[in-house]
Amino acid sequence: IEKKHFSQIISTCSDGNTNLRDFKKSTGNFLLIVGEESNGIDKNILDISETKIRIPINDSVDSLNAAVAVSIVLWELIK
């Protein structure tokens, strides 16, 4: 992953420090990284992510299916 191709690198994780609803995407190309349900995103990838967002979900839910997570994030970014 080369930063020069993207204005922003965003990853989703349950311990992300930015709530998706509060996140403001910069202009230009961005890279959205979503991990699989069981293992999440590799630490090396998380380390290069400028922004780690979390999707607010009910406490009774452990994680979201990756396709569902992508749909939610993209909806929030384009609305």
Short mmCIF file of all heavy atoms in Angstrom, two decimals, residues 31-66:
data_model
loop_
_atom_site.label_atom_id
_atom_site.label_comp_id
_atom_site.label_asym_id
_atom_site.label_seq_id
_atom_site.Cartn_x
_atom_site.Cartn_y
_atom_site.Cartn_z
N LEU A 31 -8.43 5.05 0.74
CA LEU A 31 -8.38 3.60 0.81
C LEU A 31 -9.11 3.19 2.08
O LEU A 31 -8.77 3.65 3.17
CB LEU A 31 -6.94 3.12 0.85
CG LEU A 31 -6.70 1.63 1.08
CD1 LEU A 31 -7.30 0.81 -0.08
CD2 LEU A 31 -5.22 1.33 1.21
N LEU A 32 -10.12 2.36 1.93
CA LEU A 32 -10.87 1.86 3.08
C LEU A 32 -10.48 0.40 3.29
O LEU A 32 -10.61 -0.42 2.39
CB LEU A 32 -12.38 1.96 2.82
CG LEU A 32 -13.29 1.34 3.87
CD1 LEU A 32 -13.11 2.03 5.22
CD2 LEU A 32 -14.74 1.40 3.41
N ILE A 33 -10.01 0.10 4.47
CA ILE A 33 -9.57 -1.26 4.80
C ILE A 33 -10.55 -1.85 5.81
O ILE A 33 -10.81 -1.25 6.86
CB ILE A 33 -8.15 -1.25 5.39
CG1 ILE A 33 -7.18 -0.60 4.41
CG2 ILE A 33 -7.71 -2.66 5.76
CD1 ILE A 33 -5.85 -0.24 5.00
N VAL A 34 -11.09 -3.00 5.48
CA VAL A 34 -12.03 -3.69 6.36
C VAL A 34 -11.52 -5.11 6.55
O VAL A 34 -11.24 -5.81 5.57
CB VAL A 34 -13.45 -3.71 5.76
CG1 VAL A 34 -14.41 -4.47 6.64
CG2 VAL A 34 -13.95 -2.29 5.53
N GLY A 35 -11.42 -5.53 7.78
CA GLY A 35 -10.91 -6.87 8.06
C GLY A 35 -12.01 -7.91 8.09
O GLY A 35 -13.20 -7.59 8.14
N GLU A 36 -11.60 -9.15 8.06
CA GLU A 36 -12.56 -10.24 8.16
C GLU A 36 -13.07 -10.33 9.59
O GLU A 36 -12.46 -9.82 10.53
CB GLU A 36 -11.92 -11.55 7.73
CG GLU A 36 -10.75 -11.95 8.60
CD GLU A 36 -10.21 -13.31 8.25
OE1 GLU A 36 -11.01 -14.24 8.08
OE2 GLU A 36 -8.98 -13.44 8.18
N GLU A 37 -14.21 -10.98 9.74
CA GLU A 37 -14.86 -11.04 11.04
C GLU A 37 -14.02 -11.73 12.11
O GLU A 37 -13.96 -11.30 13.25
CB GLU A 37 -16.23 -11.75 10.95
CG GLU A 37 -17.23 -11.04 10.09
CD GLU A 37 -17.15 -11.42 8.62
OE1 GLU A 37 -16.36 -12.32 8.27
OE2 GLU A 37 -17.87 -10.83 7.82
N SER A 38 -13.34 -12.79 11.77
CA SER A 38 -12.64 -13.57 12.79
C SER A 38 -11.30 -12.97 13.22
O SER A 38 -10.99 -12.95 14.40
CB SER A 38 -12.42 -15.01 12.31
OG SER A 38 -11.68 -15.02 11.11
N ASN A 39 -10.50 -12.48 12.28
CA ASN A 39 -9.16 -12.00 12.62
C ASN A 39 -8.98 -10.50 12.53
O ASN A 39 -7.97 -9.98 12.99
CB ASN A 39 -8.12 -12.67 11.72
CG ASN A 39 -8.07 -14.16 11.94
OD1 ASN A 39 -8.14 -14.62 13.07
ND2 ASN A 39 -7.98 -14.91 10.87
N GLY A 40 -9.91 -9.81 11.93
CA GLY A 40 -9.78 -8.36 11.81
C GLY A 40 -8.69 -7.96 10.84
O GLY A 40 -8.36 -8.69 9.90
N ILE A 41 -8.09 -6.82 11.08
CA ILE A 41 -7.05 -6.26 10.20
C ILE A 41 -5.69 -6.51 10.82
O ILE A 41 -5.49 -6.31 12.03
CB ILE A 41 -7.28 -4.75 10.01
CG1 ILE A 41 -8.66 -4.50 9.37
CG2 ILE A 41 -6.19 -4.13 9.15
CD1 ILE A 41 -9.08 -3.05 9.34
N ASP A 42 -4.74 -6.90 10.00
CA ASP A 42 -3.37 -7.16 10.45
C ASP A 42 -2.80 -5.89 11.12
O ASP A 42 -3.02 -4.78 10.65
CB ASP A 42 -2.52 -7.55 9.24
CG ASP A 42 -1.11 -7.91 9.62
OD1 ASP A 42 -0.26 -6.99 9.65
OD2 ASP A 42 -0.87 -9.10 9.89
N LYS A 43 -2.04 -6.08 12.18
CA LYS A 43 -1.46 -4.95 12.93
C LYS A 43 -0.60 -4.05 12.04
O LYS A 43 -0.61 -2.83 12.19
CB LYS A 43 -0.65 -5.46 14.11
CG LYS A 43 -0.09 -4.33 14.96
CD LYS A 43 0.83 -4.83 16.04
CE LYS A 43 1.48 -3.76 16.85
NZ LYS A 43 1.80 -2.51 16.24
N ASN A 44 0.16 -4.63 11.12
CA ASN A 44 1.00 -3.81 10.23
C ASN A 44 0.16 -2.87 9.37
O ASN A 44 0.57 -1.75 9.08
CB ASN A 44 1.85 -4.71 9.33
CG ASN A 44 2.87 -5.50 10.12
OD1 ASN A 44 3.41 -5.02 11.11
ND2 ASN A 44 3.11 -6.72 9.71
N ILE A 45 -1.00 -3.34 8.95
CA ILE A 45 -1.90 -2.50 8.15
C ILE A 45 -2.52 -1.42 9.04
O ILE A 45 -2.61 -0.25 8.66
CB ILE A 45 -3.01 -3.34 7.48
CG1 ILE A 45 -2.40 -4.38 6.54
CG2 ILE A 45 -4.00 -2.46 6.75
CD1 ILE A 45 -1.66 -3.83 5.36
N LEU A 46 -2.94 -1.80 10.24
CA LEU A 46 -3.49 -0.81 11.16
C LEU A 46 -2.47 0.29 11.47
O LEU A 46 -2.83 1.46 11.60
CB LEU A 46 -3.94 -1.47 12.47
CG LEU A 46 -5.27 -2.20 12.43
CD1 LEU A 46 -5.51 -2.94 13.74
CD2 LEU A 46 -6.42 -1.26 12.13
N ASP A 47 -1.21 -0.08 11.56
CA ASP A 47 -0.17 0.90 11.87
C ASP A 47 -0.04 1.98 10.81
O ASP A 47 0.34 3.11 11.13
CB ASP A 47 1.18 0.20 12.08
CG ASP A 47 1.24 -0.58 13.38
OD1 ASP A 47 0.36 -0.38 14.24
OD2 ASP A 47 2.16 -1.42 13.51
N ILE A 48 -0.32 1.67 9.55
CA ILE A 48 -0.20 2.70 8.51
C ILE A 48 -1.51 3.45 8.27
O ILE A 48 -1.54 4.41 7.51
CB ILE A 48 0.31 2.11 7.18
CG1 ILE A 48 -0.70 1.13 6.59
CG2 ILE A 48 1.68 1.50 7.33
CD1 ILE A 48 -0.43 0.78 5.15
N SER A 49 -2.56 3.02 8.94
CA SER A 49 -3.85 3.69 8.78
C SER A 49 -3.84 5.00 9.54
O SER A 49 -3.56 5.03 10.74
CB SER A 49 -4.98 2.81 9.30
OG SER A 49 -5.03 1.61 8.59
N GLU A 50 -4.15 6.07 8.83
CA GLU A 50 -4.19 7.39 9.47
C GLU A 50 -5.38 7.52 10.41
O GLU A 50 -5.32 8.19 11.43
CB GLU A 50 -4.29 8.48 8.42
CG GLU A 50 -3.11 8.52 7.49
CD GLU A 50 -3.44 9.31 6.26
OE1 GLU A 50 -4.14 8.76 5.40
OE2 GLU A 50 -2.98 10.46 6.18
N THR A 51 -6.47 6.92 10.01
CA THR A 51 -7.70 7.02 10.79
C THR A 51 -8.25 5.63 11.04
O THR A 51 -8.34 4.82 10.13
CB THR A 51 -8.76 7.85 10.02
OG1 THR A 51 -8.20 9.10 9.65
CG2 THR A 51 -9.99 8.07 10.86
N LYS A 52 -8.60 5.38 12.27
CA LYS A 52 -9.21 4.10 12.64
C LYS A 52 -10.62 4.41 13.12
O LYS A 52 -10.80 5.03 14.16
CB LYS A 52 -8.39 3.40 13.72
CG LYS A 52 -7.00 3.03 13.24
CD LYS A 52 -6.16 2.53 14.40
CE LYS A 52 -4.74 2.30 13.98
NZ LYS A 52 -3.95 3.51 13.78
N ILE A 53 -11.59 4.02 12.31
CA ILE A 53 -12.97 4.33 12.65
C ILE A 53 -13.67 3.11 13.23
O ILE A 53 -13.32 1.98 12.91
CB ILE A 53 -13.76 4.87 11.45
CG1 ILE A 53 -13.74 3.89 10.28
CG2 ILE A 53 -13.26 6.23 11.03
CD1 ILE A 53 -14.59 4.29 9.12
N ARG A 54 -14.63 3.37 14.08
CA ARG A 54 -15.44 2.29 14.61
C ARG A 54 -16.89 2.57 14.24
O ARG A 54 -17.33 3.71 14.23
CB ARG A 54 -15.26 2.11 16.10
CG ARG A 54 -15.81 3.20 16.96
CD ARG A 54 -15.46 2.95 18.43
NE ARG A 54 -15.85 3.94 19.38
CZ ARG A 54 -15.86 5.26 19.27
NH1 ARG A 54 -15.52 5.81 18.14
NH2 ARG A 54 -16.21 6.05 20.24
N ILE A 55 -17.59 1.53 13.93
CA ILE A 55 -19.00 1.62 13.62
C ILE A 55 -19.76 1.44 14.93
O ILE A 55 -19.59 0.41 15.60
CB ILE A 55 -19.42 0.54 12.60
CG1 ILE A 55 -18.63 0.71 11.31
CG2 ILE A 55 -20.91 0.58 12.35
CD1 ILE A 55 -18.78 -0.45 10.34
N PRO A 56 -20.56 2.42 15.32
CA PRO A 56 -21.29 2.26 16.58
C PRO A 56 -22.34 1.16 16.45
O PRO A 56 -23.18 1.20 15.56
CB PRO A 56 -21.95 3.63 16.79
CG PRO A 56 -21.96 4.29 15.46
CD PRO A 56 -20.85 3.68 14.66
N ILE A 57 -22.21 0.16 17.30
CA ILE A 57 -23.17 -0.95 17.29
C ILE A 57 -23.61 -1.24 18.72
O ILE A 57 -22.94 -0.85 19.68
CB ILE A 57 -22.59 -2.22 16.64
CG1 ILE A 57 -21.31 -2.67 17.33
CG2 ILE A 57 -22.37 -2.04 15.15
CD1 ILE A 57 -20.73 -3.97 16.80
N ASN A 58 -24.68 -1.94 18.84
CA ASN A 58 -25.23 -2.33 20.13
C ASN A 58 -24.22 -3.18 20.89
O ASN A 58 -23.51 -4.00 20.30
CB ASN A 58 -26.54 -3.11 19.89
CG ASN A 58 -27.28 -3.41 21.15
OD1 ASN A 58 -26.76 -4.06 22.05
ND2 ASN A 58 -28.51 -2.94 21.22
N ASP A 59 -24.16 -3.02 22.19
CA ASP A 59 -23.21 -3.77 23.02
C ASP A 59 -23.39 -5.28 22.93
O ASP A 59 -22.47 -6.04 23.21
CB ASP A 59 -23.32 -3.35 24.49
CG ASP A 59 -22.79 -1.95 24.72
OD1 ASP A 59 -22.00 -1.47 23.89
OD2 ASP A 59 -23.19 -1.33 25.73
N SER A 60 -24.57 -5.72 22.54
CA SER A 60 -24.81 -7.16 22.46
C SER A 60 -24.26 -7.78 21.17
O SER A 60 -24.27 -8.99 21.02
CB SER A 60 -26.31 -7.45 22.56
OG SER A 60 -26.99 -6.90 21.45
N VAL A 61 -23.73 -6.95 20.27
CA VAL A 61 -23.19 -7.43 19.00
C VAL A 61 -21.67 -7.39 19.07
O VAL A 61 -21.08 -6.37 19.41
CB VAL A 61 -23.69 -6.55 17.83
CG1 VAL A 61 -23.10 -7.00 16.52
CG2 VAL A 61 -25.21 -6.55 17.78
N ASP A 62 -21.01 -8.52 18.74
CA ASP A 62 -19.54 -8.57 18.76
C ASP A 62 -18.92 -7.91 17.55
O ASP A 62 -17.97 -7.15 17.66
CB ASP A 62 -19.06 -10.02 18.82
CG ASP A 62 -19.16 -10.62 20.20
OD1 ASP A 62 -19.18 -9.84 21.17
OD2 ASP A 62 -19.22 -11.84 20.30
N SER A 63 -19.43 -8.25 16.36
CA SER A 63 -18.84 -7.72 15.14
C SER A 63 -19.88 -7.76 14.03
O SER A 63 -20.96 -8.33 14.19
CB SER A 63 -17.62 -8.55 14.72
OG SER A 63 -18.01 -9.87 14.39
N LEU A 64 -19.54 -7.15 12.92
CA LEU A 64 -20.41 -7.13 11.76
C LEU A 64 -19.76 -7.93 10.64
O LEU A 64 -18.53 -7.98 10.53
CB LEU A 64 -20.64 -5.70 11.27
CG LEU A 64 -21.35 -4.75 12.22
CD1 LEU A 64 -21.34 -3.34 11.65
CD2 LEU A 64 -22.78 -5.21 12.46
N ASN A 65 -20.56 -8.51 9.80
CA ASN A 65 -20.08 -9.13 8.58
C ASN A 65 -19.33 -8.06 7.78
O ASN A 65 -19.75 -6.89 7.76
CB ASN A 65 -21.31 -9.66 7.82
CG ASN A 65 -20.97 -10.15 6.45
OD1 ASN A 65 -20.85 -9.36 5.53
ND2 ASN A 65 -20.85 -11.45 6.32
N ALA A 66 -18.23 -8.41 7.13
CA ALA A 66 -17.41 -7.44 6.41
C ALA A 66 -18.22 -6.70 5.34
O ALA A 66 -18.08 -5.49 5.17
CB ALA A 66 -16.20 -8.13 5.78
#
